[in-house]
Amino acid sequence: MTMTTVAHLTNLNYVVLDFATQRVRTTPDEVRQAAEGGDLLAHLEEVAEDAGLDASILGSWTPAERSDINNMFASWANAIDLERKYGITRDRADQGWIALAFGINDQIRAVSSR
């Protein structure tokens, strides 16, 4: 049974959109690869630290919640065709966080419909 809630996902989306508005650059492929690796949250925490941004909300989740979210996005990354689904070019460094925000919105819809 999943422990991920809409609140988790909206907090995650806030962090990701903060990266985008602060012009932290990453490509959609880099985001997808980080998610496929199974530890997206650690990657986001590292990005935030490097950019001097606050992603402390991610560290407040239990290990089980973190695992659930990481697994959710590993599955998303393994199945997604970013260009076809979201119209996102894989190698544009200004679109990585937008691609992940779209993915988070897809997960919010999935969690909300349970």
Side-chain angles (χ1 to χ4, degrees):
M1 184 167 133
T2 184
M3 290 180 256
T4 302
T5 65
V6 170
H8 288 109
L9 294 167
T10 55
N11 285 327
L12 178 60
N13 213 24
Y14 176 82
V15 169
V16 168
L17 291 173
D18 189 36
F19 292 170
T21 60
Q22 297 300 318
R23 301 192 192 283
V24 176
R25 297 178 65 79
T26 194
T27 67
D29 264 356
E30 290 167 337
V31 167
R32 188 185 48 74
Q33 289 167 4
E36 279 180 337
D39 203 358
L40 177 64
L41 296 179
H43 174 73
L44 296 177
E45 289 167 327
E46 183 179 314
V47 167
E49 184 176 331
D50 291 347
L53 299 173
D54 181 20
S56 59
I57 188 71
L58 304 181
S60 70
W61 297 334
T62 67
E65 291 166 336
R66 289 177 66 88
S67 177
D68 193 47
I69 291 168
N70 282 325
N71 290 337
M72 176 184 287
F73 284 95
S75 294
W76 167 81
N78 283 318
I80 196 67
D81 179 339
L82 295 168
E83 283 190 60
R84 191 176 49 127
K85 175 116 185 185
Y86 308 128
I88 299 232
T89 305
R90 297 177 359 186
D91 61 351
R92 286 199 39 198
D94 62 336
Q95 292 189 348
W97 303 124
I98 302 303
L100 183 53
F102 276 124
I104 293 167
N105 283 340
D106 287 346
Q107 298 305 322
I108 288 170
R109 282 195 288 271
V111 168
S112 295
S113 68
R114 291 185 200 152

